[in-house]
Amino acid sequence: MAELRTEEMVLNMGPQHPSTHGVLRVELVVDGEVVVDAIPHIGYLHRCFEKHAEVMSYQQIVPYCDRMDYLGSMNNDHAYVLGVEKLLNIQVPQRVEYIRVIMAEFQRIASHLVSIGTYGLDIGAFTPFLFCFRDREMILDLFEMTCGARLLYNYMWPGGLSHDLPPGFVEKARAFIKHFRPAIKELNELLSYNEIFVKRTANVGVLPADIAINYGASGPTLRGSGVKWDLRKCEPYSVYDKFDWDIVVGTGEMGTLGDCWDRYMVKVWEIEQSLRIIEQALDTLPEGDVQAAIPKRVRPPVGEVYVRSESPRGELAYYIVSDGSQKPYRVKGRAPSFSNLSLLPEISRGYLIADMIAIIGSVDITLGDVDR
Amino acid sequence: MSSADTYFKNIGKGFWTVLLGMKVTMRHLFTPAVTIQYPDARMPIPERGRNRLYVNMDDCIGCNQCGMACPVGCITIETAKSLPTEDLGVTSTGQKKRLWVTQFDIDFAKCCYCGLCVPPCPTECIYMTDVFEFSEYDRDKLNYSFITLTPEEAAQKTEQAKAAEKEAAAKKAAAAAAAAAQKAAQPQNVTPSQNVTQPPAQSIPPAAPRPAPAVAPAPQPAVKPEIAGAEAGQAPSVTAEPQGGQKVSSPESVYPPKPQEQATRAPQELKPNDNPKGSAD
Amino acid sequence: MHNFITYYIGAGFWGSLVSSIIPLVFILPFALVAIWLELKISAHMQDRVGPMRTGKWHGWAQPLADVTKLIQKEDIIPAAADKALYILAPALVFVGAYAAYAAIPFSPAYIGSNINLGIFYIVAVSALVVIGILMAGWSSNNKWSLLGAMRTAAQLVSYEIPSSLAILAVVMVAGSLNLNDICAAQSGWFWNWFVFGKFPFLFITFIIYFIASLAETNRSPFDIPEAESELVAGYHTEYSGMRFAFFYLAEYANMFVVAAVAAVLFFGGWNSPFGTFLSGPVWGVFWLIGKGMVLVFIQIWLRWTLPRFRVDQLMYLSWKILTPFALVNIFAVGLWVVLRG
Ligand code: SF4
Ligand code: SF4
């Protein structure tokens, strides 16, 4: 029998594809439906964050940080202000740090909810998506009552916060947590342990720990591969060392360690850990003036600083160089999504197009974070 | 055998989890919706809500602190020095106003609602309101002008300030040359300044409240204990702006005018002008 | 007399015309109602309310507005498309769905065509849909469409087998391929329905048929041909306006076909569940449509609950689970029929 002549097909996925989570373009080389190669093309959401930062005062950069990873604005701000404060060498009141941690953890939950919900959407389940967004809205309500915005907060300022917690915040946050715990259980029933979902995600896009480390992956993507690495614990910043919580890692219980299901499930479990942190922080919230340490003029001495923090997507770091003026000489953002995205070709070869979607979703990128 | 075992187990698990999922969705079919019917019902906007900005020009001293704080540069402020003979009044915080604000534009198409412009203001006259529905078909219409001067007035103020500056420069030069010459120059610029303030008041009769502070500025600050609502009396003259590009906030949508303050400030002119101008835009 | 129309008008041209138009008259409102139900049910399952404005009362006119919008839209044919096939495809898909209505016994007194091979005919014409979808995918000249079409072809062909085997089990019990006869064989109270007969074999048969029918209508969790998150919109990616509406309509028409067939085969068709209570030709229509709607509801319910299968898992389900089970089932039912009658 004569050999069948087959050809590989180049398929352009994105930038307007429904499941690339933004304006990512992936050039797929497919053999039938099997992915032979996947080449991500980025830059569609490039907004010159780093160049902008060079002509802004330190304070004015905060709204720009918000927009880097627009699903994790609080975390972005947190890392940035920690850096500026380190440059300025100022101590912020404890209350400020506690509130920042509360906000950052709420933001982490909100971001994970988006990630989980859209992941369900990628796999074809529409309903969990809306359940996740319903709960995320409640977190955004909390943010809005605190700082007035629902997405891009500009809440953490170098030296303090734009506002103190509003009256009623603590009660509302507690009520949310009470409502939210059963909601996660329901989500697990509906999606996480659904056999079709498990079959779609287990053993797909397996990322071995060594490859993850070599590519500089971080966050749930790294922890999904079983690596216990979380900067909140391993290199505690802010007041994270005061709380009792655990790093969750992938278990490979449904398939292989480091598959899509693990990466997905780590996020679900991390939500619970974040809730634990928030509860403890709410219980031990110190009193104080949140604006006491805000400097009149942010004019750090000549120097440079590198701060890293754990954003919902992984290790988010800022490298800030000060030349002694009111504007930084250079601000460089190390975006977790960028490193994580670079894994894509590595873990998607040999899977089907449908798996490709599952893999992109499980790596959980924000294009704003990738392109900056 | 074990593979056959897993085969049946998988089928069983598949069915079971599907049923579990169906139970969840069925339960939610009968739980009340959490969404609201937007244009009919609105979510309450918290006190700190950051939406459209408003500038209370009565209190603005034209210091441009807000413009400098803005990271996107969407606030454009032009000022003109007032003449020593003009009294612009004081702000509600007791600061003396020295500058005519001839241009105060905020381009809400650029604004990112970060709120950075609010805290630096020394008189707390720029602040966030709860208006968030102001979409436009034309991007230029999002460039709001807040000045209370009419364009003619603004132009005159600028010119007058320029003239004054020139004169001051000339004066300086003259002072350097001969100290006696300046004495004669001074009375001359008093008269033009008074002429300048008058014409707009006559040319645009509806904008009556504007000349009021120019003519009798003294009582105004005294009755204004706070910022909010204080602009109610001024607003009509803001709306009088006829230029197409510049839309002006309609006062009634931003703040309910405070009746008592309205009353102190020429109420009879205010009533008829309020609406037609707001809708003219 | 199985068709009251031909009884009154005669079996000539006009009689045939009128009785063939009736299903069309049914499909359109049904599709609109089903779309509305889908919108509302999905919304409430997701803690939303769905359309509320169009037509005042709970947005009942929303599907109407949607269709009107689609009709008004510009008819875009991609420049690189194979025009003839591109235009023909939606029509063919719709015809496949529509033709099946000819053999559905809406009531003892109304069936488009009371042919002896009724169920066989439905299975056969439903298969036309595959050709239409393949045509659509191929002629669009779009890689995503082609992938979707290929998936559909594989999927529909695979699922014909378990569904046909499931149907066969019922046919063995009823001893007829005529749908009216199958209904008649289940008359009386609801425990006479085949779904409860030869317990549990026919119940399993029903499950197999229902799953397979979901796949045949490209409903979730088997909606991989149009998997919007993977293939953008699959075979109808390039379609818009009226042609897209045709695909849409065909999907809902098909949904009801499989639901009606399931109702006939397993739930007594036009029989009242309570013996002679509320039975008769007119109530027959009510019962059949009612039972069909319940099954349509389950289809909708599943769609908004489940994630989507992957292509290979779909094949696995069909060939390694449904087909063997159907075969075992058919053997057991056959044995039962032979031994116990
Ligand atoms: S809110 Fe921010 S962007 Fe808008 S005018 Fe104020 S400082 Fe500028
Ligand atoms: S900071 Fe306040 S007073 Fe100064 S220009 Fe801006 S609005 Fe006017």
Side-chain angles (χ1 to χ4, degrees):
Chain A
M1 203 179 118
E3 189 79 7
L4 198 63
R5 197 180 72 86
T6 58
E7 239 179 77
E8 283 171 355
M9 180 163 81
V10 176
L11 202 55
N12 194 21
M13 184 188 263
Q16 299 108 333
H17 189 278
S19 304
T20 50
H21 291 229
V23 282
L24 172 67
R25 180 161 86 91
V26 186
E27 197 182 319
L28 292 177
V29 184
V30 290
D31 177 7
E33 283 220 20
V34 180
V35 176
V36 178
D37 203 0
I39 306 136
H41 294 266
I42 59 168
Y44 291 89
L45 203 57
H46 183 55
R47 289 151 304 166
C48 305
F49 163 75
E50 291 171 13
K51 194 69 198 166
H52 270 307
E54 288 170 22
V55 294
M56 300 275 164
S57 72
Y58 285 91
Q59 170 74 79
Q60 286 175 337
I61 294 170
V62 177
Y64 284 80
C65 291
D66 277 335
R67 284 156 177 79
M68 275 182 62
D69 172 0
Y70 39 79
L71 295 177
S73 294
M74 287 286 188
N75 303 80
N76 296 350
D77 294 356
H78 197 182
Y80 172 75
V81 296
L82 283 176
V84 177
E85 280 156 16
K86 217 157 145 191
L87 264 182
L88 286 166
N89 202 11
I90 52 174
Q91 276 291 319
V92 296
Q94 282 292 297
R95 183 177 174 84
V96 171
E97 286 297 359
Y98 271 72
I99 294 175
R100 281 179 184 172
V101 165
I102 291 171
M103 290 301 164
E105 292 310 308
F106 267 131
Q107 181 73 84
R108 190 182 312 277
I109 295 173
S111 166
H112 281 349
L113 279 176
V114 175
S115 161
I116 291 165
T118 52
Y119 195 51
L121 209 56
D122 291 345
I123 304 295
F126 201 92
T127 306
F129 169 73
L130 283 150
F131 288 175
C132 287
F133 267 62
R134 173 198 65 199
D135 298 333
R136 178 171 176 264
E137 281 301 305
M138 296 180 191
I139 298 180
L140 299 192
D141 282 345
L142 288 174
F143 287 158
E144 195 188 15
M145 73 188 271
T146 309
C147 67
R150 294 181 79 82
L151 187 68
L152 304 160
Y153 311 105
N154 184 22
Y155 179 57
M156 300 177 192
W157 288 355
L161 302 168
S162 73
H163 299 86
D164 197 355
L165 289 183
F169 179 90
V170 175
E171 293 75 43
K172 223 175 151 195
R174 287 225 169 86
F176 165 75
I177 294 172
K178 208 167 150 226
H179 152 90
F180 187 49
R181 282 225 166 88
I184 308 174
K185 215 172 132 251
E186 198 175 77
L187 179 81
N188 283 341
E189 261 180 22
L190 185 59
L191 186 67
S192 312
Y193 289 101
N194 181 291
E195 191 64 9
I196 300 176
F197 180 78
V198 171
K199 281 275 177 293
R200 278 295 304 276
T201 51
N203 291 323
V204 169
V206 177
L207 171 66
D210 55 337
I211 293 187
I213 293 169
N214 287 349
Y215 273 83
S218 50
T221 308
L222 179 67
R223 290 193 283 277
S225 299
V227 182
K228 244 180 151 90
W229 177 256
D230 189 321
L231 287 169
R232 290 173 290 168
K233 200 96 167 173
C234 304
E235 207 174 82
Y237 56 96
S238 198
V239 285
Y240 276 111
D241 49 353
K242 300 210 171 124
F243 306 115
D244 171 37
W245 58 282
D246 306 309
I247 303 178
V248 286
V249 290
T251 54
E253 70 182 87
M254 289 297 170
T256 324
L257 184 65
D259 57 14
C260 288
W261 193 83
D262 277 344
R263 281 196 288 277
Y264 161 87
M265 215 51 201
V266 161
K267 284 171 217 145
V268 177
W269 290 328
E270 262 182 31
I271 288 180
E272 172 57 30
Q273 300 304 324
S274 293
L275 288 180
R276 276 176 70 187
I277 297 177
I278 294 170
E279 277 179 330
Q280 293 170 44
L282 287 177
D283 287 341
T284 53
L285 193 62
E287 292 298 322
D289 178 6
V290 297
Q291 301 200 320
I294 295 183
K296 276 262 158 340
R297 282 236 177 288
V298 184
R299 191 195 278 270
V302 180
E304 56 181 44
V305 68
Y306 185 78
V307 276
R308 36 193 212 159
S309 72
E310 187 74 24
S311 91
R313 273 157 201 81
E315 179 179 332
L316 172 77
Y318 285 97
Y319 174 58
I320 309 170
V321 183
S322 161
D323 58 0
S325 70
Q326 279 188 43
K327 294 169 181 170
Y329 177 74
R330 176 93 168 89
V331 175
K332 156 103 181 83
R334 187 257 187 222
S337 295
F338 180 77
S339 308
N340 292 353
L341 180 65
S342 63
L343 278 164
L344 193 63
E346 197 68 41
I347 55 176
S348 56
R349 285 191 197 112
Y351 294 102
L352 297 174
I353 292 178
D355 295 332
M356 192 66 210
I357 306 295
I359 293 168
I360 295 178
S362 73
V363 171
D364 185 23
I365 48 166
T366 310
L367 265 298
D369 200 23
V370 174
D371 294 341
R372 276 155 287 150
Chain B
M1 205 60 237
S2 74
S3 71
D5 217 38
T6 43
Y7 173 80
F8 285 109
K9 233 187 220 150
N10 275 345
I11 295 175
K13 212 156 86 190
F15 263 103
W16 177 242
T17 51
V18 166
L19 289 178
L20 268 182
M22 286 172 83
K23 191 189 82 192
V24 171
T25 40
M26 186 45 97
R27 193 166 59 222
H28 277 274
L29 190 54
F30 299 106
T31 46
V34 294
T35 51
I36 53 167
Q37 293 293 296
Y38 159 59
D40 301 338
R42 271 151 220 264
M43 274 174 41
I45 293 177
E47 215 177 306
R48 295 175 182 178
R50 302 208 307 251
N51 301 292
R52 193 171 72 187
L53 286 160
Y54 187 79
V55 185
N56 176 10
M57 289 308 288
D58 275 1
D59 279 358
C60 178
I61 55 171
C63 65
N64 200 18
Q65 291 285 335
C66 50
M68 285 192 305
C70 178
V72 296
C74 63
I75 304 180
T76 319
I77 297 175
E78 293 284 343
T79 49
K81 275 213 188 83
S82 62
L83 300 177
T85 46
E86 290 171 319
D87 188 359
L88 276 65
V90 293
T91 66
S92 57
T93 49
Q95 239 147 327
K96 186 139 173 48
K97 288 163 82 174
R98 292 180 201 288
L99 298 170
W100 288 110
V101 182
T102 52
Q103 187 189 6
F104 198 122
D105 290 354
I106 302 183
D107 190 346
F108 288 110
K110 285 188 200 157
C111 175
C112 64
Y113 307 97
C114 62
L116 282 179
C117 50
V118 176
C121 179
T123 61
E124 296 179 12
C125 66
I126 180 166
Y127 44 84
M128 295 288 185
T129 65
D130 57 0
V131 183
F132 60 95
E133 299 148 306
F134 51 100
S135 51
E136 292 284 354
Y137 284 103
D138 187 354
R139 205 173 284 183
D140 292 340
K141 288 197 182 141
L142 286 169
N143 194 2
Y144 282 47
S145 174
F146 288 94
I147 49 165
T148 43
L149 300 175
T150 61
E152 299 87 42
E153 278 179 312
Q156 273 157 336
K157 297 287 175 211
T158 320
E159 241 154 63
Q160 154 199 321
K162 257 189 208 147
E165 210 168 280
K166 235 188 225 159
E167 249 161 79
K171 251 190 285 172
K172 233 183 194 171
Q182 49 169 304
K183 286 262 150 66
Q186 209 149 27
Q188 272 167 8
N189 55 18
V190 177
T191 20
S193 86
Q194 275 161 348
N195 288 343
V196 164
T197 38
Q198 239 63 353
Q202 285 135 13
S203 64
I204 308 165
R210 186 57 237 160
V215 175
Q220 169 204 347
V223 296
K224 259 193 314 170
E226 56 177 72
I227 316 148
E231 78 287 354
Q234 235 90 16
S237 65
V238 179
T239 26
E241 199 96 330
Q243 265 73 7
Q246 309 205 321
K247 185 180 167 189
V248 162
S249 62
S250 44
E252 62 277 8
S253 69
V254 182
Y255 287 105
K258 287 208 172 144
Q260 70 272 38
E261 269 148 18
Q262 234 171 274
T264 54
R265 321 199 63 218
Q268 66 275 41
E269 287 119 338
L270 199 112
K271 279 278 144 64
N273 299 336
D274 228 5
N275 283 331
K277 271 179 230 140
S279 55
D281 281 304
Chain C
M1 188 63 353
H2 288 294
N3 188 335
F4 70 96
I5 291 160
T6 43
Y7 179 78
Y8 288 119
I9 309 182
F13 173 74
W14 290 110
S16 322
L17 188 71
V18 171
S19 47
S20 65
I21 281 177
I22 284 195
L24 194 61
V25 174
F26 171 74
I27 290 177
L28 292 173
F30 163 75
L32 296 182
V33 170
I35 293 171
W36 181 79
L37 276 179
E38 176 118 50
L39 292 172
K40 294 304 273 189
I41 291 173
S42 66
H44 283 282
M45 279 179 177
Q46 296 161 351
D47 290 353
R48 304 181 282 132
V49 286
M52 287 298 272
R53 313 202 134 251
T54 335
K56 293 279 182 283
W57 186 79
H58 285 266
W60 66 270
Q62 186 63 44
L64 220 58
D66 284 352
V67 169
T68 317
K69 178 199 77 179
L70 284 175
I71 291 173
Q72 290 172 343
K73 268 186 153 178
E74 187 190 349
D75 180 28
I76 300 168
I77 300 179
D82 186 334
K83 287 212 177 51
L85 292 184
Y86 185 85
I87 292 168
L88 203 57
L92 199 62
V93 169
F94 186 71
V95 164
Y98 173 48
Y101 279 78
I104 291 177
F106 278 95
S107 102
Y110 178 73
I111 174 166
S113 165
N114 187 24
I115 45 178
N116 281 334
L117 291 174
I119 183 70
F120 188 64
Y121 163 81
I122 290 182
V123 171
V125 292
S126 300
L128 261 186
V129 174
V130 188
I131 302 171
I133 289 178
L134 260 180
M135 271 162 62
W138 174 260
S139 64
S140 301
N141 207 353
N142 174 325
K143 289 168 185 170
W144 297 109
S145 301
L146 185 63
L147 279 175
M150 291 300 169
R151 284 178 173 194
T152 320
Q155 173 180 335
L156 294 196
V157 170
S158 313
Y159 278 85
E160 298 270 272
I161 291 161
S163 89
S164 305
L165 286 175
I167 289 170
L168 220 55
V170 177
V171 169
M172 278 197 309
V173 177
S176 170
L177 285 168
N178 185 316
L179 287 169
N180 250 347
D181 293 352
I182 294 176
C183 282
Q186 305 173 64
S187 58
W189 287 76
F190 58 84
W191 52 77
N192 287 345
W193 291 353
F194 281 156
V195 69
F196 304 118
K198 314 267 180 290
F199 201 79
F201 297 112
L202 283 183
F203 183 72
I204 296 176
T205 310
F206 164 67
I207 303 273
I208 293 172
Y209 177 77
F210 190 75
I211 295 174
S213 72
L214 281 178
E216 279 186 66
T217 47
N218 297 335
R219 293 286 297 182
S220 183
F222 305 100
D223 57 347
I224 60 159
E226 52 206 72
E228 75 277 351
S229 60
E230 295 160 21
L231 299 186
V232 190
Y235 59 87
H236 55 62
T237 304
E238 296 288 355
Y239 281 88
S240 61
M242 200 53 217
R243 286 178 224 289
F244 173 75
F246 262 102
F247 280 120
Y248 209 53
L249 216 58
E251 181 185 332
Y252 283 91
N254 244 333
M255 264 167 78
F256 187 77
V257 169
V258 295
V261 169
V264 168
L265 293 181
F266 300 99
F267 296 94
W270 36 254
N271 282 308
S272 158
F274 316 107
T276 52
F277 175 68
L278 294 183
S279 72
V282 178
W283 281 107
V285 177
F286 167 77
W287 287 119
L288 184 92
I289 295 180
K291 289 165 184 173
M293 285 311 249
V294 170
L295 291 172
V296 167
F297 169 74
I298 296 179
Q299 289 176 349
I300 294 175
W301 183 10
L302 277 172
R303 170 166 180 186
W304 297 103
T305 303
L306 296 182
R308 180 184 306 121
F309 277 107
R310 199 173 58 205
V311 196
D312 56 328
Q313 290 161 351
L314 193 93
M315 294 298 154
Y316 178 92
L317 181 69
S318 168
W319 292 105
K320 294 196 175 163
I321 297 179
L322 292 185
T323 308
F325 268 82
L327 278 171
V328 170
N329 233 350
I330 220 171
F331 179 72
V333 172
L335 216 60
W336 193 317
V337 170
V338 168
L339 295 181
R340 314 250 312 260

